[in-house]
Structure formats: C-alpha cells, structure tokens
C-alpha cells in the first residue's frame, strides 16, 4: 500500500552534528588527534568577488564561533597564529580514483596521463591531487582547473593568508554505509552514492538528481535490495527554502529519506567532517607549501625589513665611529710631528718624529726608549 503524502518539514532534523545519529549502522569514527587546539576554516566559491565565510573550530570540529561572511583581510586578523584551512565549494571539481604503483612527484606526473581518457578537458589545464593509497593501492583523486585553484590562492595571498590546506566541499560528505547522501548549498548539489562515488551539479533540482541516481543504482545492482531508497540529505537554509517541493516529494517517494537542515550553514558542517577525516588536500605538487616559500614568509616581510634596517643602521654607525677614530689618530700623529719639529727645529716625517720623541723622552728620564726594535740611550 502506498504511503500517504507527508510534509517535508516533519522529516527535517535540525542538528549541530549532522553526520552522527543514533540510528547509524556504521561504526563511529574516532576524531584524529591534532596538535593545534583551534583552527580557522574559510569557505570560498569560484570567482573574484564571491562572498567568503569563516568559522573557528576546536580540535573536534565543534564551532567556537558562528560562521559568518567577512572580508579576507578581517579573516587574516582573526586567524592570528591559528592555522587556516580552506574549503572550496566548486561544482567543477571532478572526483575519481586511480591505482598507480608510484608516489610523491612521480605520482603527480603520472596521474594526468593515467586518467586522461576520463576528462573532456585538456589534462594540462587541470591540477590533480590524490589521497593516500588503500591496502590494494587504490587512491581517491580530485581534479580542479588550475586557473580556478590559482585564483583562489591569489585572493588569499593578497590578504596575507597562507593556507595549510585547501579541500573540496565534496569531502564534507563522509561515506555512510548503505546510504546515498546529498549536500545542497544554494543552487548547487553534491551527491555521494552508497558506493562512495561523488558528483557535483549546478542548477539542477534535487528530485531529478535523486531519481536519476536511484535508477542508475538499481540498474547496476543484481539483487533487489540495492539500498537506493536510503537517502540522507543535508541542506543549508537557502537550499532548504528554495527546494521545499522537492524535499516533500523525496520524503514521499524514497522509503528511507532523512532530510537535515544545516541551521549553522554548510561551512560548519564541512569543518566538522574535515577535522575528523583524511580529506584530499589540493596543496600538492607545484602547490605544496614547500614550493611556495615566499608566500609562507610573506607575513614576516615587515619584521624582516625592520631587522635588516636595524642591522644596516648598526653597520653605518660603526663605520662612522671607525672613521672618527681614524681621523683622531691621524690628527694625533700630526700633533706629535709638529711638537717634535718645534723641539728639534726640524720637520721630520711621522715615523722619524715618533723616534725622536721617544728618544727625547728617554733622555729626559735618564733611561732608554725603544722604537722600531732599536734602542736609543
């Protein structure tokens, strides 16, 4: 018997811990231990003038502040000594996987050619980043247009922000056994299949995406229990309001649909997930922190300049003191020569004047004076 229509609002869960539930069949993952107690997450979307949001979280991902939009310069001041990690919300990011028996720089060189057939774009225009290898050698891969990543890094650099990591918002969805998941932010949607496959869509209705996803899952499953009706949906306030009709249809058409309102926004949701998992960091290869030494030290330019100026001033002062002492010594030598000339009635050279002065002093003392290794009595 068909279920009666139900209201979407009745099936919405408002939670500050969206990916943990007492009904989850998957085991609870322990948070990774972090040396830094707090960090700053920055949410960015492609474009030069797009809003930037920011949130401070603790070591477990719990918010210390509410996510809010602010200029990057203010975020730099807020961060202080805390590490900054960026979440790039871009639907142009492509997720796939590869199995290559190499690592490090060789992996970065091999990935574009190994995955070339999966991309319509010229792979030379893309940047590839990979996760660590599983037991069988499989790596998750994220690809993004170089121009898009570089534009993001340039905006951060202009505000004197050097990020420790740049993630994709795709990794905000932690795999949940037996469930497909959907993250709706404004008019964009990220879908994760129950096999972990990830895809992003822009300007497409959630209902049409879920119906197509279920049809694809049913077609590839041999048994009747494909789990295609197990759906968990996370929607920020904007997406939740914009797609209210879709949410109502999804709760009606999918047997086990759980829709959760992200009242704190998508960035707080992403930060909690990213703190507690190993996500793909785009800062690899040419974009790794070690290859951007000047950017790392950019915040210290002023201090280094002041230190250099102080050292230069010290050297100049020492040079002036040395010059003054040299002038005084030369004047003293000249005074000695003049004095000897007046006493002896001659005009000796400086060395001769010194010898005569020593001889004169020695004779008056009734002793001897030594000059240049000679003894005068």
């Amino acid at each position: 018997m068909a279920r009666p229509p139900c209201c979407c609002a009745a099936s919405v869960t408002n939670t500050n811990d969206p990916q943990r539930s007492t009904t989850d069949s998957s085991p609870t993952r322990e948070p990774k231990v972090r040396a830094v107690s707090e960090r700053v997450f920055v949410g960015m979307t492609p474009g030069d003038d797009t809003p930037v949001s920011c949130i401070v979280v603790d070591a477990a991902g719990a918010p210390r502040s509410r996510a809010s939009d602010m200029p990057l310069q203010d975020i730099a001041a807020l961060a202080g000594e805390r590490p900054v990690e960026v979440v790039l919300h871009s639907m142009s990011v492509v997720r796939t996987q590869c199995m290559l028996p190499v690592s490090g720089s060789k992996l970065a060189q091999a990935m574009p050619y190994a995955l070339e057939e999966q991309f319509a774009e010229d792979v030379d225009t893309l940047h590839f980043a990979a996760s660590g290898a599983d037991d069988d050698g499989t790596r998750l891969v994220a690809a993004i247009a170089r121009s898009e990543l570089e534009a993001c890094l340039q905006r951060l650099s202009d505000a004197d922000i050097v990020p420790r990591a740049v993630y994709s918002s795709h990794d905000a969805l932690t795999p949940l056994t037996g469930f497909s998941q959907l993250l709706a932010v404004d008019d964009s949607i990220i879908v994760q299949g129950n096999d972990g496959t990830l895809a992003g869509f822009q300007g497409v209705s959630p209902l049409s995406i879920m119906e197509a996803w279920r049809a694809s899952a049913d077609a590839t499953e041999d048994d009747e229990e494909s789990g295609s009706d197990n759906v968990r949906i996370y929607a920020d306030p904007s997406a939740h309001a914009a797609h209210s009709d879709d949410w109502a249809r999804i709760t009606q058409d999918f047997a086990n649909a759980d829709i959760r309102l992200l009242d704190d926004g998508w960035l707080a949701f992403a930060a909690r997930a990213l703190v507690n998992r190993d996500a793909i960091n785009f800062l690899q290869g040419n974009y790794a922190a070690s290859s951007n030494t000047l950017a790392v030290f950019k915040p210290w330019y002023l201090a280094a300049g002041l230190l250099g100026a102080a050292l230069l001033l010290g050297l100049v002062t020492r040079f002036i003191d040395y010059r003054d002492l040299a002038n005084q010594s030369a004047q003293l030598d000249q005074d000695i020569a003049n004095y000897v000339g007046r006493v002896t009635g001659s005009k000796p050279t400086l060395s001769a004047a010194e010898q005569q002065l020593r001889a004169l002093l020695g004779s008056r003392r009734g002793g001897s004076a030594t000059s240049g290794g000679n003894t005068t009595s």
Side-chain angles (χ1 to χ4, degrees):
M1 182 174 65
R3 293 184 300 158
C6 60
C7 175
C8 173
S11 62
V12 173
T13 302
N14 188 345
T15 177
N16 291 329
D17 192 359
Q19 290 190 315
R20 292 186 181 178
S21 170
T22 56
T23 61
D24 286 354
S25 59
S26 58
T28 302
R29 298 187 58 176
E30 292 296 327
K32 294 185 298 181
V33 177
R34 299 286 189 174
V36 180
S37 59
E38 289 187 349
R39 68 192 73 180
V40 177
F41 276 87
V42 177
M44 302 180 69
T45 54
D48 295 333
D49 301 320
T50 54
V52 178
S53 54
C54 171
I55 189 171
V56 180
V57 301
D58 63 17
R64 295 285 192 178
S65 65
R66 191 174 181 86
S68 58
D69 293 348
M70 63 177 66
L72 281 169
Q73 288 77 8
D74 292 347
I75 293 176
L78 172 67
E81 297 299 320
R82 288 176 288 207
V84 176
E85 300 181 22
V86 176
V87 186
L88 188 58
H89 187 65
S90 170
M91 298 304 100
S92 66
V93 172
V94 177
R95 298 296 295 263
T96 183
Q97 61 184 27
C98 70
M99 186 181 294
L100 295 170
V102 292
S103 59
S105 60
K106 292 183 178 179
L107 176 64
Q109 296 172 2
M111 278 191 296
Y113 303 102
L115 301 171
E116 187 172 10
E117 294 182 357
Q118 300 184 31
F119 294 87
E121 305 94 332
D122 182 356
V123 292
D124 290 334
T125 66
L126 302 175
H127 170 62
F128 292 84
S131 68
D134 291 341
D135 293 339
D136 62 354
T138 301
R139 298 176 185 270
L140 300 178
V141 178
I144 186 174
R146 290 184 179 274
S147 58
E148 190 170 293
L149 178 60
E150 289 170 0
C152 167
L153 295 176
Q154 185 61 53
R155 290 183 68 186
L156 295 167
S157 177
D158 291 343
D160 289 333
I161 296 176
V162 181
R164 182 169 68 177
V166 177
Y167 305 113
S168 166
S169 55
H170 290 61
D171 279 323
L173 292 173
T174 302
L176 186 60
T177 304
F179 276 78
S180 296
Q181 298 185 92
L182 183 150
L183 173 62
V185 179
D186 295 327
D187 66 339
S188 61
I189 295 174
I190 298 173
V191 180
Q192 182 184 68
N194 54 19
D195 60 351
T197 305
L198 284 161
F201 302 89
Q202 191 87 32
V204 183
S205 73
L207 179 60
S208 61
I209 291 175
M210 293 311 303
E211 288 177 340
W213 203 268
R214 177 168 61 179
S216 174
D218 290 344
T220 56
E221 291 288 343
D222 295 332
D223 57 9
E224 295 181 359
E225 297 295 331
S226 65
S228 58
D229 274 6
N230 298 332
V231 181
R232 180 168 293 177
I233 297 171
Y234 306 97
D236 74 346
S238 174
H240 184 264
H243 302 293
S244 57
D245 291 342
D246 283 43
W247 307 138
R249 283 288 305 278
I250 288 173
T251 56
Q252 177 180 345
D253 296 347
F254 288 77
N256 189 13
D258 179 14
I259 301 176
R260 302 190 174 192
L261 173 63
L262 303 179
D263 187 54
D264 288 339
W266 72 271
L267 183 58
F269 171 79
R272 180 180 294 276
L274 291 167
V275 164
N276 292 285
R277 67 172 302 190
D278 291 318
I280 298 176
N281 182 1
F282 279 123
L283 299 184
Q284 301 179 20
N286 294 334
Y287 301 98
S290 60
S291 66
N292 194 15
T293 305
L294 292 178
V296 171
F297 287 101
K298 187 174 181 179
W300 301 97
Y301 282 178
L302 178 59
L306 292 175
L307 178 60
L311 292 174
L312 180 60
L313 180 60
L315 290 175
V316 171
T317 302
R318 284 180 175 272
F319 172 76
I320 293 174
D321 291 343
Y322 174 79
R323 186 188 61 182
D324 291 343
L325 290 173
N327 291 337
Q328 292 174 16
S329 177
Q331 183 62 45
L332 181 59
D333 288 342
Q334 187 62 48
D335 291 343
I336 291 173
N338 293 337
Y339 173 76
V340 171
R342 289 196 301 271
V343 172
T344 62
S346 63
K347 295 182 178 180
T349 62
L350 289 180
S351 58
E354 181 182 3
Q355 293 177 12
Q356 292 183 28
L357 179 61
R358 288 179 180 275
L360 180 62
L361 291 174
S363 62
R364 290 185 177 182
R365 292 172 183 170
S368 63
T370 303
S371 176
N374 299 320
T375 302
T376 305
S377 300

